[in-house]
Amino acid sequence: MLILSLDTTSRAGSAALLDDDLVRAVAAGDASRTHGERLPGELARVLADGGVALAAVDLLAVASGPGAFTGLRIGLATMQGIALALNRPVVGVSALEAMALTAFETLGAARVRIGTWMDAARGEVFAARYDVHGEAGAWPALTPIGPPEVAPPDEIWARWLDAAPAVDLLVGDIADRYGSVVAREVRVVPHPLLAPAIARLARRRASEDGSHRPHQLQPLY
């Protein structure tokens, strides 16, 4: 299955082309330009790098949020338009889940609690926690620890400590900025490229849930 995926939840974002779980092409976006200026050109570049025509894509995947309003809407509208034109299914994926999966894939651990933070502006973060575990070569299980939330980082961290377990790893585009808020023993890593993980999550959901039509996409702010 060829999957074209897009993330516009951060200023740079990313795009990727996967053949099942194998990455054929991936590119970070140009943060100096808006998503409106760059799309759908960035998707065309990833397709060209992967040696695939748009018509050959089987599944479309896009980050459904949370994220900045304008970038998020542009990403969703772009993939909705392509899905309509090609009559292909399109799956929306939480950027926070994609962050947790990407972090887990780089750890080599069997089980870990991962906290995800994204800049929500106004001194706040979008945040969620996941218990992630899996054997080598198997698809990991992502279990949310409570619902996603948005609040100042010190408030979120205090709540996480009160409702232990907290986390073993904190990942996100501002995790490094607010690293002083969290306990020293917690590893803090920067925001990764999310498009490959978005594609992998979308592939599983497409096979589990059946049809995903463009009008079913819903943003998560």
Side-chain angles (χ1 to χ4, degrees), residues 3-55:
I3 310 154
L4 181 64
S5 63
L6 176 66
D7 169 38
T8 59
T9 58
S10 64
R11 185 170 181 84
S14 57
L17 175 69
L18 273 68
D19 188 346
D20 289 339
D21 285 340
L22 176 65
V23 177
R24 294 186 61 161
V26 62
D30 179 0
S32 68
R33 302 168 61 208
T34 67
H35 292 292
E37 294 171 323
R38 291 149 40 194
L39 292 170
E42 288 186 347
L43 293 172
R45 178 161 60 92
V46 166
L47 288 166
D49 291 345
V52 170
L54 180 58

Side-chain angles (χ1 to χ4, degrees), residues 196-216:
I198 289 168
R200 294 186 180 108
L201 286 165
R203 178 187 170 213
R204 267 76 187 179
R205 290 182 185 161
S207 64
E208 294 167 358
D209 303 339
S211 177
H212 293 265
R213 308 309 304 165
H215 70 274
Q216 295 174 311

Side-chain angles (χ1 to χ4, degrees), residues 66-215:
F69 178 87
T70 301
L72 188 57
R73 297 298 303 190
I74 289 171
L76 289 168
T78 297
M79 298 305 263
Q80 283 175 317
I82 296 173
L84 285 168
L86 296 180
N87 191 27
R88 297 291 191 274
V90 55
V91 179
V93 173
S94 163
L96 298 174
E97 288 189 23
M99 289 169 64
L101 176 62
T102 303
F104 180 77
E105 291 176 334
T106 64
L107 289 177
R111 186 164 193 161
V112 66
R113 293 162 299 179
I114 298 177
T116 56
W117 282 7
M118 293 179 64
D119 190 0
R122 304 178 303 277
E124 296 183 324
V125 294
F126 299 113
R129 290 186 297 163
Y130 300 92
D131 180 13
V132 192
H133 60 92
E135 302 298 329
W139 180 252
L142 240 72
T143 304
I145 306 174
E149 54 188 324
V150 57
D154 55 344
E155 292 183 14
I156 287 177
W157 187 250
R159 280 199 295 272
W160 285 6
L161 289 178
D162 289 341
V167 294
D168 305 303
L169 175 75
L170 184 63
V171 57
D173 57 355
I174 60 165
D176 54 347
R177 186 188 310 174
Y178 292 110
S180 60
V181 172
V182 305
R184 290 184 180 180
E185 63 269 18
V186 174
R187 180 181 171 191
V188 179
V189 297
H191 194 295
L193 294 182
L194 297 184
I198 289 168
R200 294 186 180 108
L201 286 165
R203 178 187 170 213
R204 267 76 187 179
R205 290 182 185 161
S207 64
E208 294 167 358
D209 303 339
S211 177
H212 293 265
R213 308 309 304 165
H215 70 274

